[in-house]
Amino acid sequence: MKLNRVVISGGGTGGHIFPAIAIANEIKERYPECEILFIGANGKMEMEKVPAAGYKIEGLDIVGIQRKLTLKNLAVPFKLFKSLLRAKKIIKRFKPDVAIGVGGYASAPTLRVSGRMGIPTLLQEQNSYPGVTNKILAKKAKKICVAYPKMDRFFPAEKIIITGNPVRSEVAQIEGKRDQAIKEFGLNPDKKTIFILGGSLGARTLNNAVKKAASSWKDKNYQVIWQCGKFYENEMTQFVTEGKHEHLKLNAFIQRMDLAYSAADIVVSRAGALSVSELSLVGKPTIFIPSPNVSEDHQTKNAMAMVENDAALLIKDNDAEEQLEPVVIDLLNNANKLKDLSSKIKAMGLPNATHDIVNEIEKLHIA
């Protein structure tokens, strides 16, 4: 039985949005006639990224509860009620075969309404520690696709399927692209390359650590692909220009992640679920510096899932400025450690995640 209409809901960050788009692409590959509708939160990045990927999206006026005391929290129940009504209207009109939640505020009303209307629901949880939304929705979901073992601590064991996280296929395909990558970033093919990955918004800690290490790495003849984030672009451009740091190849945002991964000898990254999944698929030796500014400290938990299997190194955020420079030098000087980290992180990868998730979506529709 083919899929005719599918709703995908959630977002807020690239870690939710890009897996959702990967799932949509796989559905379209199998069922070109299938209509796919995204439901997101107004004002969040999905409202821009989803149409850019070629899909329709409708927005809900939903917000999360702020952790600090603020008057904005008074509006949350009203916006939730309004979002439930709007989601009901959209679902009633669109009549999806299946509703998929990828985490983020918008998925709560969408999947709650879908479940009440008898539409089978599937959750995709990217992190090793689930968000509040997915924990609530798990009670009614038919299936929960996860990326890490031991998730029965949070979800009913009989609903869990370990699939891994969907990664856009073009990102993980890095073989034979090194020459193109060297040209793209203006690199020297004879120098060792460090890729600093701070997420789409950038990371102050990582940027400060790079600034502190810049001269030392220059002396060692290293070059750096530095994704600093749009927010920090002007400040870091000034640092590179004034310091004559030609070895720092600065980018606010990197479109061709496949090329950056292809060129890198090692990667220094935050530990968002999507980054961890991509790095395990490309098999690059990685130093994780988890962000402490996320709910339930889930980035540390994501990174530890790798570190406990000797598949990556970890530096705490508050130690990064002091430790990043020497840890990078030690690692680049240790060929055996580089090889070991590469093979072990690759062994943690689940390359068929998107395919396996869509298989589960098909089963729900048939059932």
Side-chain angles (χ1 to χ4, degrees), residues 48-327:
E48 176 194 335
K49 298 290 182 189
V50 168
Y55 295 102
K56 292 177 185 172
I57 187 166
E58 300 213 27
L60 305 178
D61 286 324
I62 189 160
V63 293
I65 293 172
Q66 304 285 315
R67 287 186 223 172
K68 56 186 179 184
L69 284 172
T70 168
L71 289 172
K72 287 180 183 176
N73 284 338
L74 295 175
V76 171
F78 300 101
K79 292 199 170 187
L80 177 59
F81 181 69
K82 185 182 172 187
S83 295
L84 282 163
L85 293 178
R86 171 118 174 95
K88 188 176 181 181
K89 197 174 176 182
I90 294 168
I91 297 297
K92 214 169 181 181
R93 184 188 73 230
F94 187 67
K95 298 186 177 70
D97 300 318
V98 179
I100 302 156
V102 295
Y105 304 138
S107 62
T110 304
L111 267 76
R112 178 62 65 90
V113 164
S114 297
R116 282 178 183 165
M117 293 171 74
I119 295 155
T121 63
L122 177 142
L123 298 181
Q124 198 268 318
E125 175 55 59
Q126 299 91 26
N127 291 294
S128 60
Y129 194 97
V132 174
T133 304
N134 275 357
K135 279 186 190 171
I136 294 167
L137 293 171
K139 293 167 192 167
K140 301 287 184 185
K142 298 285 185 187
K143 293 286 177 186
I144 305 163
C145 295
V146 301
Y148 293 92
K150 301 176 186 171
M151 294 299 282
D152 54 354
R153 291 174 295 158
F154 313 107
F155 301 134
E158 68 277 7
K159 296 181 180 183
I160 294 172
I161 297 129
I162 298 180
T163 57
N165 281 326
V167 170
R168 292 164 293 166
S169 57
E170 65 273 16
V171 171
Q173 292 164 0
I174 67 170
E175 297 303 319
K177 293 184 178 178
R178 189 166 185 273
D179 290 346
Q180 188 185 349
I182 283 162
K183 192 175 174 186
E184 172 85 8
F185 296 107
L187 300 168
N188 182 330
D190 300 320
K191 289 184 178 182
K192 289 179 179 175
T193 304
I194 306 157
F195 178 24
I196 306 289
L197 179 56
S200 53
L201 300 176
R204 165 66 69 188
T205 301
L206 268 66
N207 289 340
N208 285 346
V210 173
K211 284 169 75 174
K212 184 154 188 182
S215 296
S216 169
W217 288 348
K218 188 177 187 178
D219 293 342
K220 292 281 182 186
N221 227 15
Y222 300 156
Q223 56 196 353
V224 183
I225 302 170
W226 183 9
Q227 192 256 304
C228 68
K230 214 160 194 162
F231 186 76
Y232 302 102
E233 185 178 15
N234 291 341
E235 181 189 340
M236 300 308 149
T237 300
Q238 187 179 348
F239 170 77
V240 170
T241 307
E242 288 178 358
K244 295 189 170 63
H245 292 302
E246 300 86 1
H247 65 305
L248 302 178
K249 311 300 180 182
L250 190 72
N251 300 263
F253 181 77
I254 292 175
Q255 204 71 41
R256 292 294 306 272
M257 288 293 290
D258 56 330
L259 297 184
Y261 286 141
S262 177
D265 291 293
I266 66 169
V267 180
V268 178
S269 177
R270 285 303 203 194
L274 190 60
S275 296
V276 175
S277 294
E278 286 180 0
L279 286 159
S280 63
L281 291 183
V282 299
K284 289 291 173 174
T286 301
I287 301 165
F288 287 117
I289 304 176
S291 170
N293 308 313
V294 293
S295 60
E296 312 289 354
D297 196 23
H298 68 246
Q299 285 204 8
T300 298
K301 295 177 175 80
N302 291 346
M304 286 307 296
M306 298 289 146
V307 173
E308 285 166 0
N309 286 281
D310 299 321
L313 303 181
L314 184 143
I315 298 174
K316 288 181 181 176
D317 186 83
N318 55 9
D319 294 331
E321 284 187 47
E322 294 303 320
Q323 291 186 12
L324 184 61
E325 177 231 340
V327 170

